Amino acid sequence: MFSLTVRRNFMIAHSLPREAFGPAQGLHGATFVTEVTFRRRELNDDAIVLDIGAAGDVVDKVLEGLNYKNLDEHPDFVGKLSTTEALARYIADAVAAQIRVGNDGRELAGLDVTLRETPDAWAGFSLDFDAR
């Protein structure tokens, strides 16, 4: 399996209003280092997984809708917990929707999203695409 990873940062505010989250129940900020890895079983005719610029553009577009936002007020998170894991899935689904619209993504096997909250703590989500 071949892979290409692009990395970006974004900042959000949110609260996690359940006892399990201790002090994170209150409104607080988070800065995430986001890594999106695109997977492909075989390289394309240009001997790449995906154009690195195109991959970065897609990730930028998805993160633009989250960056500097209070997720407690974001329409896609109303009534939902915006945990790091949930954000990783949200980003994976949004990137997949963008990349699969164009021809660049039709042969991808899937993608992985890793969100790093600190150098010592991160969460992720892997999305496998249906075989075509």
Side-chain angles (χ1 to χ4, degrees), residues 2-118:
F2 294 93
S3 64
L4 167 73
T5 301
V6 294
R7 179 184 285 189
R8 299 291 192 269
N9 298 319
F10 73 103
M11 295 187 283
I12 55 102
H14 68 159
S15 61
L16 298 168
R18 292 209 181 152
E19 189 175 328
F21 299 107
Q25 291 178 69
L27 185 64
H28 63 281
T31 300
F32 292 101
V33 175
T34 307
E35 298 170 1
V36 179
T37 301
F38 300 87
R39 294 182 275 113
R40 188 181 181 116
R41 285 178 179 69
E42 297 296 331
L43 298 177
N44 69 12
D45 291 341
D46 297 316
I48 59 174
V49 172
L50 185 66
D51 177 77
I52 197 167
D57 289 347
V58 168
V59 174
D60 288 341
K61 183 175 180 180
V62 168
L63 295 182
E64 183 179 309
L66 299 173
N67 198 26
Y68 291 105
K69 302 291 191 281
N70 179 347
L71 299 186
D72 294 351
E73 300 170 354
H74 192 287
D76 292 340
F77 291 96
V78 172
K80 299 177 185 174
L81 291 171
S82 55
T83 61
T84 305
E85 295 88 341
L87 280 170
R89 181 175 192 165
Y90 177 88
I91 292 167
D93 288 342
V95 168
Q98 292 291 319
I99 203 73
R100 295 183 85 188
V101 167
N103 290 333
D104 290 339
R106 70 175 176 233
E107 299 298 327
L108 292 175
L111 58 88
D112 306 301
V113 173
T114 301
L115 294 182
R116 298 180 188 277
E117 281 197 71
T118 73

